[in-house]
Amino acid sequence: MSLCVIGNSHVGMLRAAAQSGWRGPPLVYFAKAGGGIERARVRGSVIIADDPDLVAAQRRYGLPTEIDVADCEAVIFVAGTASLFNAAQVLQSHRLSDPVGPGGGGSAGAELAERDPRQLLSQAAFVDALADRARAGYSHRFATALRRATGVPMFLVPQPFPGEAVLDAPPPHGPLFRRLRASGEGAAVVAPLALALERAFAGIEGLHLLLQPEDTVAHGFLTARAFTRDAVRVNGATPQHGGDFLHVGAVFGSRVLDRVATVLNG
Amino acid sequence: MPYSDLPPQAFWKLCRTDPEFLTTAIYRPKFPLAPGMRVATAGSCFAQNVGRYIRASELDFVDAEPAPPGMGQDTQTRFGYGLYSARYGNVYTARQLRQLVEDAWSGTVHDAAVWSNGGRYYDGLRPNVEPGGLASAGEVRAQRRDHLRRVRRMFAQTDVFIFTLGLTEAWADRESGLVFPTAPGVVAGRFDPARHHFVNFGMAETFEDLAAALAILRAARPGLRVILTVSPVPLTATASGDHVLVATTYSKSVLRAVAGELAALDPATDYFPSYEIIAGLPFGTRHYQDNLRNVTRAGVDAAMGVFFAAHSGLRPVPHPVPLKVCDCAPSDVATEEQTEVCEEAMLAAFDAA
C-alpha cells in the first residue's frame, strides 16, 4: 500500500525525500505547483483531477488523475492551510494586544504602542481568524470530504515557515519579516498559528497534525537555512531558484516521512 | 380649510385603501443621500440590519475597525467586527452613545468598566466583542484606548451617522454613573446590588444625552448629518417593575418622541420611521416572527426598501447576505432565527421557566 500525498509545490520536499533512500511505503502524488490543486474534486474516497490544468500537471509527471485514498495506507496533505504568511498578513493591519506576548502591548511599551497605527487584536480573535483561514484551505476541504468515506489515517503537513532567506528578500517580504523579527512578533505568532491549526482540524478524526519541529526553526519563526538549502520544486528533483524562501528540500521532507512512519508503525 | 390640500398619506382612511398603507410616502428625507457618501451606523441590535443594507448599497459604509484578513463571517460577528462602523457593540441607550462620544473625545478609560470573571477580563461597555474575555485588565484598557481612538477617527470621516435608539432601560454603576449595555453578570462581570442599579431614562434625560452627543460630534464634524431611527424590537425583559408591554410602550414612546423632537429642531437631523413601518398598527404582527419580538427578514426588507426608495439618487438594494453564515444547507440558512447579536435578548434566559 502506498502513501497518498496531496498538495501544492511543497509536495516537492516529500518527493525529494522519497527519492533519497526512503524505505517506507511508496508514495503516490496528487499535486500541482502554483495553485490549481484546490480545483480537484472528491467523490466518496476518490480524489479526482477534472480541471484541465490539474489533469495536465498530473499527466506531465506520469501521475494518476484520480486516486482512491481508501486503497492507501495513509493520506498526507501538504500545505493548503493557514501559514505563517497569513499570520504576517494579519500583522500588517493588526497588532496583538496580549501584553504577555513578545509582540504585545506590554512588552512593546505603551509609548511605542501609541505610535503604532495598527489596530489591536486579541489572541483569541487572531487564533480564530487563522483557524478560519485553515478551514478555507484545500487540505481541510479534502480531508473533511474524504473522511466521510474512509477511515484512512491522515496527516497534515502545514506549509513550512518561510526560510531565513526571506530576511534578505526585496520588498515587500524582506522589510516585513525583518520587522517581525526585530519586534518579536514573528516568534509570537507561532503558538497561535499552531493552536489555530489544531482547532481547525480537531473535528477530523484520525488526522495527525505534523507541526514544524522546533529544531528546524530559526529566529523563532523562520525555517533554518539547513532545511532550505536543498529546496526543490514540485517534481522533487529540480532545485528552486536562488531567491526562493518558500520551500524546503529532502532533509526536511525526510523528517516528515519519518514522523509519518513512526505514527503508522506505532 | 387646513386639511383640504393635504396629500392622501395625511389621512388614515385613504392610507387604509392601500395594502401597504401608503408607506411609499411615509418617509420624505430632509437631505438626499448620494452614492459614495460615507455612512456610519450605531445603535441597538436592530441597527445591525441597517448596516448590512448600507454595506450592500452605493453608500460607503465606514468601518473604522475592520476584521483581520481571512476571518470568516461567523467569527467576525462573534467578535463584533462589521456589525457597526466600529466595535462598540450594541449602543442601546442615548446615554451609552453620549458616554462613547465623550470618552472618545477625552480618551477616558473607566476602571469601573473593567469586569473580570474566572481570570478573564472584559470591557463592560462592550462585553460581547471579546466573548472569551482578555488576559488582563491592562489588555482591556489598551484595547479600549485603541477603540476610542478609532471611534473618534470614524466620526471624523463620516458624512451621515445613522443611530437606532433601542432602549431607555439600563444598568449603571452608582459611583461612576457609567451605564452598561447589559446588566453585569449577564454576559460577563458580576452583579453587585451595592454597586449596580437600574435606571430607566425619561424624555428629558434621553433628549439631553442625545443632544449632547450630537453636539460633540458636530463640533468636530460640522457638516455631519444624522438620521435617527427607533428599533421596533420590543424589550426582552424589563426590570422596571412594570409589565413588559407597558415597559416596551414607555421605552419606545420616549425614544420616538425624542427622535422626533430632535429632528424637528435640527435641519441636519432626520427621522426615518422604521419603527412605524414594522411595528405600526396597520401591519399587525406581519413583520414579526412567532415570538412577536424578532423582526422577519421581510419586515427588515420592507423598512429598508422604503428607505432606499425615498433616496432617489441611490439604486435599490437587493436583500443583503444575512449576518449569520454557516456550513449548513441553503434551506437551513433561510430560517427566521435571530441573526443579530443582541445582549438584551440574553435576558430571556432569566425568565421564570
Side-chain angles (χ1 to χ4, degrees), chain B residues 55-91:
Chain B
R55 271 183 193 279
S57 77
E58 299 168 285
L59 296 165
D60 184 2
F61 181 81
V62 179
D63 189 353
E65 292 183 282
M71 184 180 264
Q73 182 68 60
D74 258 359
T75 309
Q76 288 187 32
T77 301
R78 201 153 40 81
F79 283 93
Y81 289 103
L83 300 177
Y84 301 109
S85 291
R87 287 176 77 213
Y88 25 66
N90 296 318
V91 180

Side-chain angles (χ1 to χ4, degrees), chain A residues 180-228:
Chain A
L180 292 178
R181 180 185 58 175
S183 65
E185 288 176 284
V189 302
V190 169
L193 177 59
L195 184 57
L197 291 170
E198 281 165 12
R199 201 168 283 176
F201 286 87
I204 303 174
E205 207 178 323
L207 185 142
H208 305 270
L209 174 59
L210 302 183
L211 293 171
Q212 183 157 345
E214 278 181 30
D215 64 353
T216 65
V217 178
H219 308 290
F221 73 114
L222 300 175
T223 300
R225 285 188 201 277
F227 300 92
T228 56

Side-chain angles (χ1 to χ4, degrees), chain A:
Chain A
M1 285 173 83
S2 56
L3 300 176
C4 173
V5 181
I6 298 172
N8 58 16
S9 59
H10 293 282
V11 162
M13 63 169 152
L14 299 188
R15 280 175 116 157
Q19 290 157 16
S20 355
W22 163 247
R23 292 193 185 132
L27 274 66
V28 56
Y29 305 97
F30 197 87
K32 184 176 178 303
I37 191 71
E38 68 281 356
R39 292 197 288 276
R41 220 158 33 86
V42 170
R43 192 192 304 134
S45 59
V46 182
I47 187 159
I48 303 160
D50 56 3
D51 175 76
D53 288 345
L54 189 51
V55 169
Q58 287 294 97
R59 287 192 176 143
R60 192 177 312 133
Y61 298 115
L63 300 172
T65 55
E66 58 179 70
I67 299 174
D68 188 342
V69 302
D71 296 336
C72 299
E73 190 170 347
V75 186
I76 305 172
F77 298 100
V78 181
T81 185
S83 73
L84 203 125
F85 282 101
N86 298 131
Q89 188 194 8
V90 170
L91 293 180
Q92 288 187 278
S93 55
H94 292 70
R95 177 167 58 95
L96 294 179
S97 62
D98 183 347
V100 299
S107 64
E111 261 182 57
L112 186 66
E114 291 289 323
R115 289 202 302 271
D116 193 328
R118 292 175 299 167
Q119 191 178 321
L120 285 183
L121 177 69
S122 68
Q123 286 272 357
F126 184 49
V127 169
D128 284 2
L130 291 174
D132 285 343
R133 276 274 194 201
R135 287 188 198 96
Y138 62 77
S139 286
H140 191 274
R141 186 160 55 86
F142 293 155
T144 304
L146 291 168
R147 178 53 83 230
R148 288 192 198 109
T150 171
V152 66
M154 291 177 172
F155 295 86
L156 173 68
V157 183
Q159 177 175 334
F161 299 151
E164 280 184 89
V166 74
L167 298 172
D168 307 320
H173 293 102
L176 168 64
F177 281 85
R178 285 196 294 275
R179 200 166 60 241
L180 292 178
R181 180 185 58 175
S183 65
E185 288 176 284
V189 302
V190 169
L193 177 59
L195 184 57
L197 291 170
E198 281 165 12
R199 201 168 283 176
F201 286 87
I204 303 174
E205 207 178 323
L207 185 142
H208 305 270
L209 174 59
L210 302 183
L211 293 171
Q212 183 157 345
E214 278 181 30
D215 64 353
T216 65
V217 178
H219 308 290
F221 73 114
L222 300 175
T223 300
R225 285 188 201 277
F227 300 92
T228 56
R229 216 167 266 141
D230 61 348
V232 286
R233 294 175 190 253
V234 67
N235 63 11
T238 312
Q240 282 286 352
H241 61 88
D244 178 76
F245 51 75
L246 295 176
H247 298 90
V248 291
V251 177
F252 192 104
S254 298
R255 297 280 298 272
V256 172
L257 291 180
D258 287 345
R259 291 166 78 191
V260 170
T262 302
V263 172
L264 292 176
N265 298 332

Side-chain angles (χ1 to χ4, degrees), chain B residues 60-123:
Chain B
D60 184 2
F61 181 81
V62 179
D63 189 353
E65 292 183 282
M71 184 180 264
Q73 182 68 60
D74 258 359
T75 309
Q76 288 187 32
T77 301
R78 201 153 40 81
F79 283 93
Y81 289 103
L83 300 177
Y84 301 109
S85 291
R87 287 176 77 213
Y88 25 66
N90 296 318
V91 180
Y92 294 105
T93 60
R95 176 65 56 86
Q96 265 184 276
L97 178 68
R98 181 180 183 172
Q99 271 178 193
L100 175 69
V101 170
E102 286 178 349
D103 290 349
W105 259 260
S106 65
T108 306
V109 174
H110 305 276
D111 284 345
V114 180
W115 294 351
S116 63
N117 256 120
R120 301 296 290 174
Y121 295 82
Y122 299 81
D123 182 346

